[in-house]
Amino acid sequence: MTADATPAPAAARPASTEPPMLTGSGAILASLAKLGVTDVFGLPGGAIIPFYDELMASEEIRHILVRHEQGAGHAAEGYAAASGRVGVAIATSGPGATNLVTAIADAYMDSVPMIALTGQVFSTLMGTDAFQEVDIVGITMPITKHSILVKKAEDVPAALAQAYQIATTGRPGPVLVDVTKDAQQNTAPFIWPPRIELPGYRPVTKAHGKQIHAAAELLAASARPVLYVGGGTVRAGAAAELLRFAELTGAPVVTTLMARGVFPDSHRQNLGMPGMHGSVPAVLGLQESDLIISLGARFDDRVTGKPSEFAPDAKVVHVDIDPAEIGKIRHADVPIVGDAKEVLADLIAAYGEIAAESRADLAPWWERLEQLRTAYPLGYTEPDDGLLSPQYVIQRIGELSGPEAVYAAGVGQHQMWAAQFIKYERPHAWLNSGGAGTMGYSVPAAMGAKVAEPDRLVWAIDGDGCFQMTNQELATCAINDIPIKVAIINNSSLGMVRQWQTLFYDGRHSFTDLNTGSLTGTEQTRMIPDFVKLADAYGALGIRVTRPEEIDAAIKLAIETNDRPVVIDFVVSRDAMVWPMVPQGVGNSQVQYARDHAPEWGEE
């Protein structure tokens, strides 16, 4: 937040100068600039034209014209997730606004700070089913932290300031600001800072000392602790505190899908990712623990499996800035409401004092965990159909690009492989749609990340199904000089659905073949579309890779090409599966290392 972004009390304003008269649209633009916003993503339409007319003359705010409003939303998400700053997406009323809904829901599930700014029909027409009228405030109420309808020009500055404060404080999330066309056109004094009134909105960041002490005592006495680290630690900027706390305690660490990179993969205490497709040491480490310190995690079903069978012997210390999450899935023996960064600082101090007098010996626990590491390393089976191994492709992208790059994944098998086979050493390097699981996230999110972090190498690791949902944003990237790299892990199918059909539906691959992939191998397809031709049509460099010896050269060429986007069509085996795996609906103790080691699964 910029220095002038925090609204001051009315009494602190200079009384001598008259505030300038601005249209509501001008007030939107001025408010965004005052809040430190420098980049926005959007698509104009009738109800938002007045704002776009003002925006055209702006020298402070860069507008990226997307090709679809969903792309604007995901780009705003990627911008925020890569930089920690608030992302802004803009759309017109009606279908423009509803096209933002998927991205808004995605941001809500993953706690991404975002402002969705929409135009609305004239206030005098609201409720008449006017052309392109939709109650977007009502639609988004369940998937935003707050939704604000602005009908008067004089209310614009306060609405934007409130939206910014709500989106970026407490548990971050999306806020919708819907501004009627007459509010954009009419004029009013532009008063900044505005008076912000948010009755009842008081996020707690500082934890109660008694709870901190109780948690530290439990940890010092625990023989089998695990630090269960979620995406809240990333949003809190708590990576440094987490590292100090982990090294002080000596406890093993697991990082959820949303937290990859917040604790370095290279650190010996990192057991990997827990959950349905987590590493065996991480899954069984949680399962066999006697104490779970949950930091900014919400005990999602993809982590816990069947909740009643999750970590049956473990007490729980649950740290979260959102009190609604604590105890929602699993009873918390020590509930701690607070910001992860501040709570960890307090825990470091409290644990240091208690452990100096007495602490449990963790050597036997680490002996067990090292046995699991040795017995169940992450691996994969080479395909026997003559096509590429998707795991190897993704691993090489990570090795050749390095930890300073940004990796935005789509949703499905390629998402899990990207989480497993790329080594993450820093927060904000891994972007994905974790809670909502939104296909189409990757390309626009990578675009947003590259706008936020122009000096970083940015990859969109996508599936052939996901890519076809938002690939029109390649045009946005080409025209606006946003040279992202896109790796299509092309197995010619909806891979994760196909995997479930193979395992749970007797191999009946119902409507999951996409015909985008191989012209060789055991199953030929029609290759519609041809991704290399598509890339060329969008002004990107298109490359197809079908043999292992071509992989490195293609990745290096992509990294070296910075005058346009790059699309690599990696034609991979459709029979490759994501392992380990815990079948849905069963306890995590039934984690399977590979299909050959799986029992007969009677339920999904």
Side-chain angles (χ1 to χ4, degrees):
M1 186 182 288
T2 57
D4 60 355
T6 304
R13 300 186 196 114
S16 56
T17 57
E18 287 293 322
M21 295 293 291
L22 297 180
T23 63
S25 295
I28 295 172
L29 193 61
S31 298
L32 291 174
K34 291 284 190 182
L35 291 166
V37 173
T38 56
D39 306 278
V40 298
F41 305 87
L43 189 70
I48 196 73
I49 280 180
F51 170 69
Y52 270 87
D53 192 54
E54 297 273 0
L55 182 60
M56 187 178 185
S58 175
E59 296 181 356
E60 296 180 278
I61 294 178
R62 178 189 184 189
H63 177 268
I64 308 293
L65 175 63
V66 299
R67 296 304 180 266
H68 189 287
E69 291 90 352
Q70 184 179 348
H74 292 320
E77 285 190 276
Y79 183 96
S83 66
R85 303 193 294 275
V86 69
V88 179
I90 303 169
T92 193
S93 65
T98 57
N99 278 345
L100 275 180
V101 166
T102 296
I104 292 170
D106 194 276
Y108 185 69
M109 291 287 280
D110 287 346
S111 304
V112 179
M114 178 172 125
I115 295 174
L117 176 65
T118 54
Q120 183 54 276
V121 300
F122 285 94
S123 61
T124 53
L125 296 177
M126 292 184 69
T128 69
D129 294 328
F131 177 66
Q132 291 192 334
E133 181 194 358
V134 160
D135 179 10
I136 195 63
V137 168
I139 288 172
T140 58
M141 200 75 77
I143 54 168
T144 55
K145 284 189 74 177
H146 195 46
S147 295
I148 305 169
L149 174 62
V150 182
K151 292 183 176 182
K152 298 178 181 178
E154 56 264 33
D155 295 338
V156 165
L160 267 298
Q162 287 175 13
Y164 188 94
Q165 183 171 328
I166 294 170
T168 58
T169 56
R171 180 179 182 172
V175 177
L176 177 99
V177 181
D178 192 37
V179 188
T180 64
K181 194 168 183 179
D182 47 325
Q184 295 174 55
Q185 292 178 337
N186 294 338
T187 57
F190 178 71
I191 298 172
W192 193 273
R195 184 188 300 277
I196 292 184
E197 295 180 1
L198 296 171
Y201 183 71
R202 297 288 184 271
V204 175
T205 59
K206 188 74 173 174
H208 195 286
K210 184 179 178 182
Q211 301 300 89
I212 294 288
H213 189 79
E217 283 189 327
L218 275 181
L219 182 55
S222 168
R224 302 189 308 279
V226 173
L227 305 185
Y228 161 40
V229 179
T233 54
V234 179
R235 301 288 182 250
E241 289 78 8
L242 173 64
L243 181 63
R244 286 203 296 274
F245 183 60
E247 292 182 341
L248 176 66
T249 63
V253 178
V254 301
T255 53
T256 68
L257 181 69
M258 292 305 300
R260 302 291 288 114
V262 75
F263 190 76
D265 276 352
S266 59
H267 199 287
R268 64 168 293 275
Q269 287 172 243
N270 195 334
L271 299 184
M273 182 175 73
M276 177 176 278
H277 295 296
S279 72
V280 173
V283 172
L284 293 185
L286 279 172
Q287 217 41 20
E288 298 175 16
S289 66
D290 65 3
L291 177 66
I292 293 173
I293 306 285
S294 173
L295 299 162
R298 55 189 179 87
F299 292 86
D300 179 76
D301 63 282
R302 284 299 199 257
V303 168
T304 65
K306 193 173 184 178
S308 60
E309 297 180 18
F310 176 68
D313 300 325
K315 291 185 176 179
V316 171
V317 174
H318 194 169
V319 178
D320 205 292
I321 198 161
D322 184 356
E325 289 295 347
I326 295 178
K328 186 175 79 174
I329 306 297
R330 174 67 177 258
H331 169 73
D333 298 273
V334 180
I336 300 178
V337 178
D339 179 86
K341 187 181 181 77
E342 294 194 29
V343 171
L344 279 167
D346 291 342
L347 280 172
I348 289 168
Y351 179 83
E353 292 179 7
I354 293 169
E357 298 180 8
S358 174
R359 61 187 289 183
D361 180 14
L362 301 188
W365 181 220
W366 272 109
E367 186 176 342
R368 164 62 177 159
L369 297 174
E370 293 297 352
Q371 288 173 349
L372 290 173
R373 272 179 171 164
T374 302
Y376 302 107
L378 193 63
Y380 56 90
T381 303
E382 286 289 343
D384 56 10
D385 56 7
L387 299 177
L388 299 177
S389 160
Q391 298 96 326
Y392 180 72
V393 168
I394 291 170
Q395 181 176 309
R396 291 304 291 155
I397 290 172
E399 288 170 347
L400 293 172
S401 302
E404 293 304 315
V406 175
Y407 306 88
V411 169
Q413 288 181 315
H414 64 279
Q415 174 191 26
M416 294 299 107
W417 290 321
Q420 291 173 332
F421 289 97
I422 293 175
K423 299 302 179 186
Y424 299 99
E425 299 294 318
R426 64 178 189 88
H428 308 296
W430 164 246
L431 317 181
N432 83 122
S433 171
T438 303
M439 293 179 68
Y441 170 89
S442 178
V443 169
M447 177 175 74
K450 185 65 175 175
V451 172
E453 299 286 323
D455 296 329
R456 290 194 188 275
L457 171 62
V458 179
W459 280 96
I461 299 176
D462 223 352
D464 46 309
C466 290
F467 178 69
Q468 292 187 79
M469 294 192 174
T470 50
N471 61 29
Q472 67 275 358
E473 300 311 331
L474 285 174
T476 310
C477 291
I479 289 170
N480 290 281
D481 299 319
I482 307 170
I484 64 170
K485 328 297 179 186
V486 181
I488 305 173
I489 309 302
N490 183 2
N491 61 5
S492 193
S493 65
L494 299 171
M496 189 61 88
V497 182
R498 191 178 196 274
Q499 174 168 332
W500 281 44
Q501 289 172 335
T502 300
L503 295 174
F504 305 124
Y505 292 88
D506 297 324
R508 295 188 300 278
H509 299 136
S510 174
F511 301 104
T512 47
D513 293 334
L514 293 179
N515 280 285
T516 56
S518 161
L519 294 176
T520 59
T522 57
E523 295 183 55
Q524 294 191 13
T525 75
R526 298 169 66 190
M527 198 173 277
I528 298 174
D530 183 320
F531 289 131
V532 173
K533 292 180 179 177
L534 184 72
D536 183 61
Y538 273 124
L541 171 63
I543 307 168
R544 179 168 292 116
V545 176
T546 58
R547 297 197 302 272
E549 60 269 23
E550 300 170 341
I551 292 173
D552 281 18
I555 295 170
K556 289 175 182 176
L557 177 58
I559 292 172
E560 294 164 1
T561 302
N562 289 300
D563 62 340
R564 51 185 162 155
V566 180
V567 176
I568 310 179
D569 179 17
F570 290 104
V571 182
V572 304
S573 173
R574 68 169 61 187
D575 293 323
M577 291 194 189
V578 181
W579 298 103
M581 182 176 181
V582 179
Q584 191 174 20
V586 304
N588 280 357
S589 295
Q590 296 191 45
V591 61
Q592 299 303 319
Y593 184 59
R595 190 179 182 189
D596 292 343
H597 296 79
E600 290 299 320
W601 288 330
E603 57 180 321
E604 293 173 33

